[in-house]
Amino acid sequence: MKLRGIQARLLLIVVLSTLAMLVASLAALRALDEIGDAAETVTGHEVPTVTAVLRLARIGERLQQRGAGLMAAATPEELSAAQDAILADIDEFTREAASLDAARNQPGRVSAISTELADRLNELREALAKRSALAAEVARQQSNMLADEDRVR
């Protein structure tokens, strides 16, 4: 009987250790599932948001450089090329802003900023076009004045 008691105890120990391993395995699987959910949240939501923000920053930097180029444009062709490049960047900025708004579930915040930026750049473009027209008018009047001066002599 003593031998049978030891066998029963050993069997009980094996069964209990197997159950403990099963419980530990279930806990590990649950933890891995939670880790997978967290990784999916990061890669599915936060990474696209961060990359959209980085693209917006890159476009903003390009717009800043193009604004300086717009101010430095000396000929109408350069002015037109700079304006076209700015409009293309504004369109790209608007698309990225819309995707960022969608990713952050905050509709309109970034898009409103991009719309305001586009409005300001259009105002700048109109002011530069007016400046160019005024410069052309000044040059024409100066030419007329010089021609009148030549006739007077």
Side-chain angles (χ1 to χ4, degrees):
M1 282 272 205
K2 207 173 191 184
L3 193 59
R4 201 170 215 331
I6 292 176
Q7 286 178 343
R9 287 181 189 161
L10 287 176
L11 183 61
L12 181 64
I13 290 171
V14 169
V15 168
L16 288 177
S17 64
T18 303
L19 286 175
M21 291 295 288
L22 182 64
V23 168
S25 296
L26 290 174
L29 286 174
R30 173 79 175 149
L32 286 174
D33 189 41
E34 289 178 15
I35 291 170
D37 290 344
E40 187 175 319
T41 299
V42 168
T43 58
H45 177 70
E46 293 175 14
V47 170
T49 301
V50 169
T51 56
V53 168
L54 290 174
R55 284 192 298 268
L56 282 174
R58 186 180 61 225
I59 295 167
E61 185 178 332
R62 240 185 5 234
L63 280 169
Q64 183 179 12
Q65 293 168 354
R66 293 192 197 282
L70 186 65
M71 294 296 290
T75 65
E77 293 81 20
E78 289 176 353
L79 184 64
S80 177
Q83 289 173 345
D84 291 343
I86 286 175
L87 289 176
D89 281 344
I90 288 175
D91 288 342
E92 186 178 351
F93 191 91
T94 303
R95 283 192 306 273
E96 288 298 328
S99 71
L100 180 62
D101 282 340
R104 295 179 66 206
N105 293 326
Q106 295 177 345
R109 286 187 73 185
V110 179
S111 295
I113 293 169
S114 70
T115 303
E116 185 176 338
L117 175 65
D119 292 343
R120 297 285 185 255
L121 287 171
N122 282 329
E123 289 173 7
L124 176 62
R125 181 180 53 81
E126 291 169 1
L128 289 172
K130 188 175 182 178
R131 180 191 80 168
S132 296
L134 290 173
E137 180 63 24
V138 166
R140 187 186 64 74
Q141 288 180 0
Q142 185 179 21
S143 176
N144 288 343
M145 185 181 71
L146 290 174
D148 289 344
E149 192 176 281
D150 286 341
R151 275 185 292 192
V152 169
R153 287 187 192 167

